[in-house]
Amino acid sequence: MSRRLVNLTLDTLEDLPRPCRQCVYWELDPVSAERACASGDPGLEKEAWVSQTLLEWGSCGKLAYVDGMPAGYVMYAPPAYVPRSMAFPTSPVSADAVLLTTAHVVAAFAGGGLGRMLVQGVARDLTKRGVKAIEAFGDAKFGDTGEEGAGSCVAPVDFFLSVGFKTVRPHPRYPRLRLELRTALSWKSDVEYALEKLLGSMSPDTLLRPVRPAAATRSTQS
């Protein structure tokens, strides 16, 4: 099983699941997002946001592929690029953090460590850019049809906790969570990494093996 992690670009944007490809929940303020969905083409708005963010700030997403199939993705940007972030009761995001907005692993590939792989790919990218932490708003009642919320646009709290985030501002529905990047980059021991490098099993765009529940592996990015 081959695994590959790539940056989100205008080309790879097409590999997002259609609901996300057409969603501007995070990219626009609530009023503009509703207007775009009602009378415009939200897919074009999404593409414009990705294009502008790439030009002005840089990489803003990662996609994971398993045997060539899109299997998961994350998107992230400074809060200034994410108008929706100010609408949450636990905002604002800390000044030293980038906001991870969207995180999803395709159900068929869940439980294989792709979530941690994606988050570590983000951590490696942002560390090179001088960022100290990632923050996210989680949904504590994800999937509860009896609660009015953002649907699948806000990832479940359990996902963030499972990949190392800690709650920094509690809330019954939308707590804000944080991951220090130095923590994400230390998930794998230097001894294991050195051994894999010695064996020549690492490459710039390939991940080595599925993650065991008790020990996460180091990911690489293209």
Side-chain angles (χ1 to χ4, degrees), residues 106-188:
V106 175
F109 300 101
L114 288 181
R116 180 159 290 204
M117 181 188 91
L118 285 160
V119 171
Q120 191 175 35
V122 176
R124 293 165 69 86
D125 172 36
L126 294 181
T127 296
K128 295 175 183 177
R129 296 154 73 176
V131 178
K132 301 298 183 183
I134 311 169
E135 292 191 357
F137 298 105
D139 188 346
K141 299 181 180 180
F142 186 85
D144 187 343
T145 56
E147 290 284 338
E148 182 179 353
S152 61
C153 297
V154 183
V157 168
D158 289 347
F159 169 81
F160 293 114
L161 294 176
S162 73
V163 295
F165 281 72
K166 306 295 183 185
T167 302
V168 291
R169 189 171 177 189
H171 186 268
R173 183 69 193 258
Y174 296 120
R176 179 159 49 90
L177 304 101
R178 180 179 173 96
L179 176 66
E180 303 292 339
L181 295 189
R182 64 177 180 273
T183 300
L185 295 178
S186 65
W187 283 333
K188 186 165 187 177

Side-chain angles (χ1 to χ4, degrees), residues 187-208:
W187 283 333
K188 186 165 187 177
S189 73
D190 291 339
V191 173
E192 286 181 283
Y193 174 62
L195 178 60
E196 284 185 348
K197 190 172 183 180
L198 178 66
L199 295 175
S201 58
M202 299 189 71
S203 64
D205 61 354
T206 303
L207 288 168
L208 305 174

